[in-house]
Amino acid sequence: MLRTSFVAVAAVLTGATALAIGGGGSPLAGIDVRAELMTAPVTIELGGGTSRVIDNSQSFTFVAPNAPAERQRVFSFGNRVFNTKWAEYPASVQSFDGLGPTFNRNSCSGCHVFDGRGQPPQNVGDPMESMLVRLSGPDGKPDPRYGDQLNDRANLKVKPEGRAIIDYTEVHGTYGDGTPYTLLAPHVSFEDLAYGPLDGDLISARVAPQVIGLGLLEAVPQATLEALADPNDADHDGISGRVAHITDHDGNPAVGRFGWKDNEPTLLDQAAGAALGDIGLTTSINPHANCPPVQETCTNAPAQSDPELSDSFLDRMVTYLRTLAVPVARPASDAAFQSGLRTFTAMGCAACHMPTLKTGPADLPELANQTFHPFTDLLLHDMGEGLADHRPDRDASGSEWRTAPLWGLGLVPITNGHDRLLHDGRARGFAEAILWHGGEATKAREAFRNAPIAERDALIAFLKSL
């Protein structure tokens, strides 16, 4: 059955170091997992055994090279599910009908183009094609009229919920050497709202992230994440990352790993949630259509009695997501890579963007016991007022965000034709993304801002090579 085929991996570290976790608490005293991981060699094989040498528009779309041959069939079918454009029920393609009644896109790949990264609209007023807007009422709960996500598209005879418009205010600053820069501060407004204004609602714009390497992130033992966390900044380094303690779809305690705010614990939960919220597809995990009672045209729309995305299809799509290969880094030379890594670490970036993690046991052997380099600790960090959306999301506060993995971001201009970064795509390239960092990352941002231009360029070159 689907729900038993994605059992969480055991909380065991690979190698000689082991951790004991009691009730989701702290690791055994005296074992410094962070030091162990920070001193591990970092190579251009960012995905460990799942790494693949590829550098073109399809860089994020291949199966992990260490996957057994029999995985290819499931991977290919999962790829089909991920890329299929769903149709309104009833339709002649019975396996792929059930779209809506309200939705944002009609396929997963509609936002994750070539399994890559979304971007904001190019012009003010253009529709959002690969981003969306999350909503909460003033009490932090889903808006009773719109739910927790604005669906700007709908089936025939169903009202779309409305349109989100994003525009920007310029924020000016200077580097330590006096060189000026300009950042873009986004503002979201709404048009054509079908069920009344969103006055007082908490709003968060989100672009679609790339989906490489997710199986590796899922297979990092919970014990590792607990050991990396320092919620009270006990070491007084100014970094106080913490684990997002949430529940899975069955209500069992779990830790967040996926989503911009660590709001989903497994790829099964993440995929099922996106299927419902983004495409309007019910599953056995989320069996009810995304139709608040006030939306009569939505609640009265024809619908299947069975889940629209079957367990079989969802299972295969999750396997596809778990086994996508990670492109190798592309530095000018090994020396340049290691030099860039030293600059990255010296500026303090590695305190949150951990270069190395390790998986434990996994039910897919290609993911088990891998040392890999995602440049994330998967923890929640307070990123300051500049990036705050003021919208709590499960265990995350309005200013906390999961440390985003950096692998593959240098390929986004090739795969997706843009360089927009951060959760809402406001940053035009790596420099602007760094300059938006605040909160726990203020010290690292200032190290970058005040560094000589040669060091800044070296760091950007390193990030582009990932």
Side-chain angles (χ1 to χ4, degrees):
M1 295 296 291
L2 180 69
R3 295 196 179 192
T4 60
S5 65
F6 293 97
V7 176
V9 295
V12 180
L13 278 176
T14 56
T17 303
L19 296 178
I21 295 294
S26 301
L28 289 174
I31 297 178
D32 193 341
V33 173
R34 178 175 290 273
E36 178 192 357
L37 293 175
M38 286 295 290
T39 56
V42 181
T43 71
I44 64 172
E45 285 77 29
L46 303 181
T50 74
S51 304
R52 185 180 286 273
V53 179
I54 191 76
D55 185 2
N56 59 38
S57 64
Q58 304 294 316
S59 292
F60 301 149
T61 65
F62 290 89
V63 68
N66 65 339
E70 60 268 21
R71 192 83 64 236
Q72 181 65 57
R73 182 177 179 182
V74 177
F75 179 90
S76 297
F77 195 95
N79 177 51
R80 181 187 175 195
V81 176
F82 192 84
N83 285 281
T84 291
K85 293 182 178 180
W86 289 74
E88 179 178 350
Y89 173 84
S92 58
V93 284
Q94 294 183 7
S95 296
F96 290 101
D97 63 359
L99 175 69
T102 59
F103 57 96
N104 293 107
R105 297 292 282 171
N106 61 5
S107 69
C108 300
S109 61
C111 282
H112 306 276
V113 179
F114 297 136
D115 300 304
R117 183 181 176 84
Q119 63 178 316
Q122 293 187 9
N123 303 299
V124 176
D126 287 351
M128 290 183 173
E129 298 292 350
S130 54
M131 72 181 302
L132 52 81
V133 174
R134 291 284 176 85
L135 305 170
S136 299
D139 59 0
K141 298 179 181 179
D143 186 287
R145 300 156 300 159
Y146 296 96
D148 65 358
Q149 183 170 313
L150 187 73
N151 289 139
D152 56 3
R153 293 166 170 83
N155 293 342
L156 294 174
K157 300 182 181 181
V158 177
K159 288 183 181 180
E161 293 181 336
R163 294 199 311 129
I165 307 296
I166 188 165
D167 61 5
Y168 301 92
T169 299
E170 291 189 344
V171 178
H172 299 279
T174 57
Y175 288 102
D177 60 10
T179 304
Y181 62 78
T182 302
L183 306 179
L184 298 179
H187 304 278
V188 178
S189 59
F190 300 95
E191 292 183 355
D192 305 324
L193 291 172
Y195 303 101
L198 288 166
D199 297 339
D201 272 41
L202 307 176
I203 297 164
S204 186
R206 313 278 179 88
V207 298
Q210 63 202 40
V211 293
I212 57 170
L214 301 183
L216 293 171
L217 299 178
E218 187 177 42
V220 175
Q222 177 177 341
T224 300
L225 304 184
E226 300 282 3
L228 293 176
D230 184 16
N232 299 313
D233 193 17
D235 59 5
H236 306 293
D237 66 351
I239 307 298
S240 52
R242 66 184 187 88
V243 173
H245 290 285
I246 56 177
T247 56
D248 65 14
H249 57 271
D250 284 325
N252 300 313
V255 299
R257 300 169 186 266
F258 303 109
W260 288 108
K261 285 181 175 279
D262 267 344
N263 61 353
E264 294 293 358
T266 68
L267 283 175
L268 178 60
D269 290 275
Q270 176 70 23
L276 182 65
D278 302 348
I279 311 176
L281 301 176
T282 59
T283 61
S284 60
I285 292 172
N286 297 309
H288 303 295
N290 186 22
C291 294
V294 69
Q295 298 190 21
E296 293 184 3
T297 61
C298 183
T299 57
N300 294 330
Q304 296 186 44
S305 57
D306 296 328
E308 292 154 339
L309 179 59
S310 69
D311 282 357
S312 175
F313 281 21
L314 179 57
D315 193 343
R316 285 161 173 78
M317 186 170 70
V318 170
T319 297
Y320 169 75
L321 293 171
R322 296 173 85 190
T323 53
L324 281 166
V326 177
V328 300
R330 302 154 311 285
S333 65
D334 289 342
F337 183 79
Q338 295 303 326
S339 176
L341 178 62
R342 287 192 294 272
T343 301
F344 182 85
T345 302
M347 287 191 182
C349 307
C352 299
H353 291 281
M354 288 279 296
T356 301
L357 290 174
K358 296 182 179 181
T359 66
D363 55 356
L364 297 184
E366 58 266 38
L367 302 177
N369 304 316
Q370 290 287 328
T371 298
F372 63 104
H373 310 294
F375 294 87
T376 178
D377 59 8
L378 292 177
L379 301 178
L380 291 173
H381 293 273
D382 190 322
M383 296 300 294
E385 181 62 24
L387 289 177
D389 63 2
H390 305 291
R391 179 182 180 271
D393 195 335
R394 299 195 77 172
D395 198 31
S397 75
S399 60
E400 287 181 313
W401 300 91
R402 182 192 72 155
T403 304
L406 301 180
W407 53 8
L409 289 184
L411 283 168
V412 169
I414 297 173
T415 59
N416 298 114
H418 67 87
D419 64 353
R420 305 301 288 265
L421 300 174
L422 297 178
H423 65 277
D424 53 13
R426 70 177 71 183
R428 298 163 296 186
F430 287 107
E432 289 189 16
I434 296 168
L435 292 167
W436 270 112
H437 281 50
E440 297 173 41
T442 299
K443 186 176 179 180
R445 179 199 68 206
E446 289 300 283
F448 173 76
R449 193 180 67 83
N450 290 307
I453 188 171
E455 290 185 20
R456 300 200 305 265
D457 289 347
L459 178 63
I460 299 304
F462 172 73
L463 295 172
K464 287 181 177 180
S465 77
L466 296 181

